[in-house]
Amino acid sequence: MTHSPFRKDIFIETAFARRFQAMLHSALDNRSWHVIVADPGAGKTMSIRDLLKTAGGRSVLAVVAPKNNEDEQTLGDQFFTALGLPLRGHWRTRKPKLMGHLHQYGTECLIVDDAHDLSMPHLMLLKEVTDQGRLSYDHPLGLCLVAAGRGNTIPLKVTLDQPEPTWLQWRRRLDSLQPFCRIASHTSEEVRDILATLEQVYQPLLPQLNLRQWTSSIYAWLTQPALDPTHSGRVTMDNLMKLVIAALEWSYEAKATDVQAKWLERAAELLVLRHDTLRIIDGAGPNVEAPPSESTGQGNESGAEPAQEVAQVREKPNVTETNVLAGDSARPAKAIKCTFCEVVPIDLQAFQESGTRLVECPNCGATRTLEPHRGVLRFKSHDRRKTDAPVVSKRWARRETTWKVVGGEENHQGGSTM
């Protein structure tokens, strides 16, 4: 598969990036502490990476909050790794040396990305290390806890507002004027500036590229409730790039010299109207998937195709995994006898909680309404419908509307299986 020339990882100094990096520079210069919040996908991580490149050395140290591990050592090991130090020896002997290494390398500011995942032991380690820096080395450190959140959500505030002395001390170390900061995403004018920059970046591929003429439409699409649930009227960099890159790829594959309106509309439809739609991947798979067909493109040019396609999608019946596996045959049914007759043990509680009473025979695929008796289901000889369904192995598999009998053991999973 040929890689798309539009999928390169690039950093654009957007208005959000300037606002965000200004806060990081303030913490670096003043050695102040801040909890910085921004929308998911706003561009926080890319901005931190750019700051690390421009800062040089290890004056700014950035790590990601550990996931699913609340032990303080996991965060401490992140700092050792960021400094380029080996993780040899026990944590109890390495922990007292951490601040000494930070002082030796001239670190002035610590940044923790995804700070909403920090646990209490992680926060206690940050306080302990920075306190040691002031006491033993007269080396104050700036600290930025960068978290994702929407609306008026302030991550970590509940933890830091606890009345215990430790958390009172922690809260006192936050900046007196800007302890909690929210960095806003992009306005309509800022979206226009980003589109102008993207024109310059991708003009070698699309020589007559003019994205700015679509600013109003793109802004309206990306502030729909599906992508802006808090009605902030701001656009995140992630959503903007997804829409634009998809439209640019399709235009490039169509050998156009400028982005075409039909591809922008299609990308917006997929991103907004089908935000939570499950797409069935079948056949050869996405690796050899062709671009949208010419008939689809011609329909878009008429201006009526997108609405028609949405209507068709909504009218389609839900396709379950059982139908896909069985080939979804629509052939006329023929009543013949199925010889499968077996007693199958089940998890009675799981069966009752599922809210279903249909059980599928592993031999013919026919379903029967059965009630469990003393922890078993009993199949008797029954009529079946002749199908081209493949033979399946013997086990239990839970479906959205049926329990499929495929053997003597049970594989129960919570929720419906698509």
Side-chain angles (χ1 to χ4, degrees):
M1 177 181 178
T2 304
H3 292 284
S4 169
F6 297 93
R7 298 285 176 171
K8 295 179 180 178
D9 196 12
I10 61 173
F11 172 75
I12 299 176
E13 192 182 53
T14 64
F16 170 86
R18 290 191 291 271
R19 289 190 285 267
F20 181 63
Q21 289 187 349
M23 280 302 307
L24 300 181
H25 279 292
S26 176
L28 173 63
D29 296 337
N30 301 317
R31 311 293 178 91
S32 54
W33 289 23
H34 308 272
V35 176
I36 304 176
V37 187
D39 292 331
K44 301 180 293 297
T45 302
M46 292 288 289
S47 299
I48 293 173
R49 269 171 46 185
D50 179 71
L51 177 67
L52 293 178
K53 293 177 182 178
T54 57
R58 296 182 177 86
S59 59
V60 178
L61 213 62
V63 299
V64 179
K67 309 294 190 293
N68 302 320
N69 194 331
E70 298 183 354
D71 187 48
E72 65 175 19
Q73 180 180 346
T74 57
L75 181 61
D77 287 345
Q78 294 256 26
F79 285 119
F80 275 100
T81 302
L83 289 171
L85 299 173
L87 302 179
R88 291 194 296 265
H90 294 288
W91 169 243
R92 64 175 179 270
T93 59
R94 290 188 291 117
K95 176 181 174 181
K97 301 176 182 179
L98 177 56
M99 186 58 225
H101 291 306
L102 296 174
H103 177 69
Q104 177 185 353
Y105 284 99
T107 303
E108 299 176 350
C109 184
L110 303 177
I111 301 175
V112 182
D113 198 10
D114 288 347
H116 48 270
D117 291 323
L118 289 173
S119 66
M120 290 188 180
H122 298 154
L123 294 172
M124 294 300 296
L125 174 66
L126 291 172
K127 178 180 179 298
E128 184 177 347
V129 169
T130 51
D131 284 352
Q132 182 187 4
R134 282 184 172 274
L135 179 64
S136 303
Y137 300 94
D138 191 21
H139 187 134
L141 285 170
L143 178 65
C144 292
L145 303 183
V146 180
R150 282 175 169 163
N152 297 322
T153 304
I154 305 178
L156 302 178
K157 192 173 186 301
V158 174
T159 301
L160 301 181
D161 281 347
Q162 295 181 82
E164 287 80 2
T166 297
W167 301 114
L168 293 176
Q169 291 178 330
W170 220 108
R171 179 68 185 266
R172 186 187 65 80
R173 285 159 174 73
L174 291 175
D175 186 76
S176 57
L177 299 180
Q178 302 177 108
F180 300 97
C181 310
R182 168 169 289 280
I183 311 298
S185 294
H186 302 105
T187 64
S188 177
E189 286 301 317
E190 292 167 353
V191 169
R192 180 184 296 274
D193 294 337
I194 297 172
L195 295 178
T197 303
L198 291 175
E199 289 176 6
Q200 299 176 10
V201 173
Y202 295 117
Q203 268 182 349
L205 300 172
L206 299 170
Q208 299 179 1
L209 183 59
N210 183 2
L211 288 168
R212 281 172 288 181
Q213 63 179 321
W214 305 105
T215 300
S216 299
S217 298
I218 291 175
Y219 175 79
W221 289 330
L222 296 182
T223 51
Q224 294 293 318
L227 304 179
D228 183 22
T230 60
H231 305 285
S232 65
R234 301 296 182 114
V235 174
T236 64
M237 190 64 175
D238 182 59
N239 289 333
L240 177 59
M241 292 300 291
K242 285 178 179 177
L243 188 150
V244 171
I245 293 300
L248 292 181
E249 286 180 335
W250 293 333
S251 300
Y252 181 74
E253 291 168 359
K255 301 187 184 306
T257 58
D258 189 10
V259 64
Q260 298 183 8
K262 59 183 179 182
W263 301 138
L264 282 170
E265 292 173 357
R266 181 175 175 84
E269 176 193 339
L270 294 174
L271 192 61
V272 179
L273 299 181
R274 304 184 192 177
H275 184 65
D276 296 319
T277 301
L278 176 67
R279 183 180 179 187
I280 303 299
I281 305 296
D282 200 355
N287 287 339
V288 293
E289 182 180 3
S293 64
E294 294 182 1
S295 61
T296 303
Q298 294 171 357
N300 276 333
E301 289 177 351
S302 67
E305 200 281 337
Q308 294 175 357
E309 185 176 345
V310 174
Q312 291 172 0
V313 170
R314 291 175 180 170
E315 291 172 2
K316 286 183 180 180
N318 292 330
V319 181
T320 63
E321 185 180 0
T322 306
N323 289 336
V324 173
L325 291 176
D328 203 13
S329 175
R331 299 178 181 177
K334 289 186 178 181
I336 56 178
K337 277 293 182 182
C338 176
T339 58
F340 179 80
C341 179
E342 190 172 335
V343 174
V344 183
I346 66 168
D347 184 336
L348 181 59
Q349 181 179 359
F351 184 83
Q352 292 175 341
E353 289 177 353
S354 70
T356 63
R357 291 296 178 267
L358 289 178
V359 182
E360 184 175 311
C361 174
N363 192 33
C364 67
T367 57
R368 302 192 64 196
T369 303
L370 298 178
E371 292 290 337
H373 179 67
R374 295 183 179 179
V376 298
L377 289 177
R378 182 179 299 278
F379 259 87
K380 298 181 180 179
S381 297
H382 53 279
D383 292 337
R384 67 172 180 170
R385 179 171 58 90
K386 185 177 181 181
T387 67
D388 296 328
V391 179
V392 292
S393 61
K394 290 190 173 184
R395 59 181 179 83
W396 273 86
R398 180 176 175 180
R399 300 296 181 210
E400 185 176 7
T401 58
T402 66
W403 280 69
K404 186 172 182 179
V405 179
V406 283
E409 63 181 55
E410 176 195 7
N411 181 17
H412 172 67
Q413 299 178 355
S416 299
T417 302
M418 296 298 295

